[in-house]
Amino acid sequence: MTVTPEEAARELLEIVPLIMRDIRSEMRSQSSPDLTIPQFRALAFLNRNEGSSLLKVANHMGLTPPSTCRLMDGLIARGMMTRQDNPADRRCVRLVVTARGLAILDASTRGTLAYLADKLGNVGDDGREVIVKAMKSLRSVFATGTRIRAVVE
Amino acid sequence: MTVTPEEAARELLEIVPLIMRDIRSEMRSQSSPDLTIPQFRALAFLNRNEGSSLLKVANHMGLTPPSTCRLMDGLIARGMMTRQDNPADRRCVRLVVTARGLAILDASTRGTLAYLADKLGNVGDDGREVIVKAMKSLRSVFATGTRIRAVVE
DNA sequence: TATTGTTATACTCTATAACTATA
DNA sequence: TATAGTTATAGAGTATAACAATA
């Protein structure tokens, strides 16, 4: 079976928003109403990269600095993150996840993964194998984040 | 290779938002700045289902009726859609895509698909085959839309 | 009374433009 | 002057609650 890029694109454009909607709706309701997807992604990144600057986060997420700043505002207002001084370069902030933020991130991760895993239990082992392979291909194509302002990280 | 539902879930939760961000950013910038993703999806649905009621659209999109109403407001304000009376049941509206809406939908579809197809040209035929297979599996799991208010369609 | 849709209100996400502080 | 971050402003997406019109 030969698949043209156009066919694959069509599938992607139809299915990916569906999955996204489902994940969002799960995160919003029920088990883990604490985080939106951007908040979740920011927390996860900062948990892996403690003390990153605002631009690093913006960079990683493909957002503009003001958008990222607002996102941080929200997380900080709800006690999941702090801004700390960076003595080495006082223009930069060090963004650090709080214990509370980590706990919420953990709970949300667990809840969402359990939800998805439950659904993926229905596609069979073959289906999951294909899905994982596809995600690896897609990562190679979509992982190169948009670079805003700073090209170097 | 055996893949647990948890592993597949983890991949999905990492990659799908990446793709989504990319699609969104493409739609916002460059070639097709005319539609957001929800607007695009609503137009596409109504193009396939002319004269659907608000609840049918809400249903399909997994949105609440007020959210959908707002979405329609935006499309109507920009001349891409009209609300028409439904003589059969005057509580219902008939949502109809205008010629202008159709033209914009077409252009946006073409632009976004071309963008995605270009990216998917880099994964090779095997990669695309796996991707299409994965999307078919995922559709079967995520296609069952959330039913809000109306369970029957 | 039940159904369809809308308005009121309130968040979050996101952007561009203009600004401040530091280098 | 260049870089990091913020504030100002604006529009879209989304929800819940309350309401109007029709069945």
Side-chain angles (χ1 to χ4, degrees), chain A residues 15-148:
Chain A
I15 304 304
V16 166
L18 270 183
I19 302 173
M20 205 59 191
R21 165 190 103 186
D22 206 68
I23 294 177
R24 220 180 273 127
S25 137
E26 155 63 17
M27 278 197 169
R28 207 157 26 222
S29 69
Q30 312 183 52
S31 47
S32 34
D34 296 311
L35 297 174
T36 64
I37 290 192
Q39 287 169 345
F40 175 87
R41 294 216 306 137
L43 274 182
F45 175 77
L46 283 164
N47 188 41
R48 290 192 310 265
N49 304 273
E50 184 169 276
S52 290
S53 69
L54 187 87
L55 287 189
K56 270 191 188 163
V57 180
N59 222 4
H60 170 76
M61 299 195 59
L63 298 177
T64 58
S67 299
T68 311
C69 190
R70 282 303 181 76
L71 189 58
M72 295 306 111
D73 287 345
L75 288 169
I76 290 166
R78 290 163 57 205
M80 296 188 237
M81 181 101 68
T82 58
R83 286 185 175 96
Q84 296 180 5
D85 289 340
N86 182 349
D89 183 342
R90 294 185 29 233
R91 291 173 304 182
C92 299
V93 290
R94 286 175 40 80
L95 294 164
V96 178
V97 177
T98 63
R100 173 179 156 77
L102 187 54
I104 289 175
L105 175 63
D106 274 358
S108 185
T109 302
R110 257 189 269 280
T112 305
L113 286 180
Y115 172 78
L116 289 177
D118 181 58
K119 290 213 158 191
L120 292 169
N122 297 319
V123 301
D125 189 60
D126 287 355
R128 289 192 293 276
E129 190 173 330
V130 167
I131 288 170
V132 168
K133 277 186 185 166
M135 291 303 127
K136 291 203 188 307
S137 279
L138 290 169
R139 180 205 306 266
S140 72
V141 178
F142 289 96
T144 50
T146 318
R147 294 303 176 215
I148 297 181

Side-chain angles (χ1 to χ4, degrees), chain A residues 28, chain B residues 42 46 52-74 76 83 91-93 95 146-152:
Chain A
R28 207 157 26 222
Chain B
L46 283 165
S52 290
S53 69
L54 186 87
L55 287 190
K56 270 191 188 164
V57 180
N59 221 6
H60 169 76
M61 299 195 57
L63 299 176
T64 58
S67 299
T68 311
C69 192
R70 283 300 184 77
L71 191 56
M72 295 305 110
D73 286 345
I76 289 166
R83 285 185 176 97
R91 291 173 303 183
C92 299
V93 291
L95 295 165
T146 319
R147 296 300 177 220
I148 297 180
R149 246 200 218 185
V151 178
V152 189

Side-chain angles (χ1 to χ4, degrees), chain B residues 1 3 27 35 38 45 67 69 73 84 87 95 101 111 114 117 132:
Chain B
M1 178 176 75
V3 177
M27 278 198 168
L35 296 175
F45 175 77
S67 299
C69 192
D73 286 345
Q84 297 179 4
L95 295 165
V132 168

